[in-house]
């Protein structure tokens, strides 16, 4: 009997292509694509921006933890994780205990280009979103780097990046089965 496919968790800063890469990979592999933000929105019945506004960021972080601990299948999923999901201590280790973790990364300029015109991210609904982004990026970069496996997403087509991530996923899966 073959063992089930481990989950693949795509982590990284906002605007690094987690959902795009995750969807391409799900199509290619037949694994189920999940987006942690969308799953939380579905269970809470309201958008992330309203959760932040009505319940606060700390509550949202608890919901992210609950999603990881009991809100998704243990196997067979590709999960695009919200940018802050791995920020609280212990989260990266938790994800690694549940599957393969790959961090998508892009320089701040690319992140700025990809996110500045969007309106659905509550952390950027401030007077100076660029300053806020730069501050969060600086605060979090070390956490993303410490995940161990980083793939740059700003200099190649997303399809190539997806192929690269798939190679890492398959390598890690083989290692885990040995
Ligand atoms: C957040 C990133 C968002 C979403 C929320 C908070 C963050 O997800 O979870 O707005 O703290 O970086 P994306 O990374 O998909 O934009």
């Amino acid at each position: 009997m073959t063992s089930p496919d481990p989950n693949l968790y795509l982590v990284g800063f906002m605007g690094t292509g987690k959902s795009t890469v995750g969807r391409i990979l799900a199509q290619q592999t037949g694994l189920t694509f999940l987006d942690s933000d969308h799953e939380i929105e579905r269970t809470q019945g309201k958008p992330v921006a309203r959760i932040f506004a009505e319940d606060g960021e700390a509550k949202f972080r608890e919901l992210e933890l609950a999603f990881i601990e009991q809100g998704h299948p243990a196997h067979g999923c590709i999960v695009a994780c919200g940018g802050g999901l791995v920020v609280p201590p212990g989260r990266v280790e938790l994800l690694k205990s549940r599957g393969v973790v790959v961090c998508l990364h892009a320089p701040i300029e690319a992140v700025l280009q990809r996110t500045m015109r969007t309106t659905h991210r509550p952390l950027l609904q401030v007077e100076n979103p660029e300053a806020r982004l730069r501050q969060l990026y600086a605060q979090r970069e070390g956490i993303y780097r410490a995940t161990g496996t980083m793939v740059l997403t700003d200099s190649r087509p997303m399809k190539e990046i997806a192929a690269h991530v798939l190679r890492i996923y398959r390598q890690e899966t083989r290692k885990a089965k040995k």
Side-chain angles (χ1 to χ4, degrees), residues 19-32:
S19 301
T20 308
V21 169
R23 283 205 179 86
I24 295 173
L25 283 175
Q27 252 186 2
Q28 289 175 349
T29 58
L31 299 180
T32 304

Side-chain angles (χ1 to χ4, degrees), residues 4-176:
D5 297 310
N7 285 342
L8 168 63
Y9 297 99
L10 297 174
V11 304
F13 203 66
M14 297 173 245
T16 52
K18 292 163 292 184
S19 301
T20 308
V21 169
R23 283 205 179 86
I24 295 173
L25 283 175
Q27 252 186 2
Q28 289 175 349
T29 58
L31 299 180
T32 304
F33 176 73
L34 293 177
D35 177 307
S36 65
D37 284 348
H38 293 166
E39 293 307 300
I40 290 169
E41 289 179 332
R42 199 167 53 78
T43 58
Q44 299 304 299
K46 55 186 176 185
V48 169
R50 258 183 66 205
I51 302 175
F52 268 68
E54 293 171 9
D55 311 313
E57 181 173 348
K59 173 70 185 177
F60 179 71
R61 300 302 170 201
E62 277 173 29
L63 294 168
E64 288 186 314
L65 179 60
F67 164 75
I68 292 302
E69 286 185 327
Q70 68 244 345
H72 71 296
H75 302 280
C77 295
I78 297 177
V79 185
C81 298
L85 186 145
V86 291
V87 171
R91 293 286 177 88
V92 176
E93 293 70 23
L94 180 62
L95 290 184
K96 284 186 177 175
S97 74
R98 288 171 177 257
V100 176
V101 177
V102 175
C103 182
L104 302 188
H105 192 60
I108 184 70
E109 287 71 28
V111 167
L112 283 168
Q113 251 190 10
R114 287 183 190 157
T115 54
M116 286 304 283
R117 279 188 305 274
T118 60
T119 54
H120 63 282
R121 293 182 174 96
L123 290 175
L124 305 184
Q125 300 312 301
V126 292
E127 207 172 306
N128 189 342
E130 178 172 341
R132 180 83 174 115
L133 258 182
R134 286 184 185 279
Q135 180 196 38
L136 283 170
Y137 189 94
Q139 279 169 1
R140 293 178 177 179
E141 200 177 356
I143 296 168
Y144 297 129
R145 286 198 182 279
T147 58
T149 312
M150 275 189 130
V151 175
L152 260 180
T153 61
D154 70 312
S155 51
R156 285 180 295 167
M158 285 296 179
K159 267 196 156 170
E160 277 179 36
I161 291 153
H164 185 170
V165 173
L166 188 56
R167 280 195 296 277
I168 297 173
Y169 171 74
R170 292 204 165 127
Q171 257 167 19
E172 294 294 318
T173 304
R174 269 197 301 273
K175 263 196 252 168

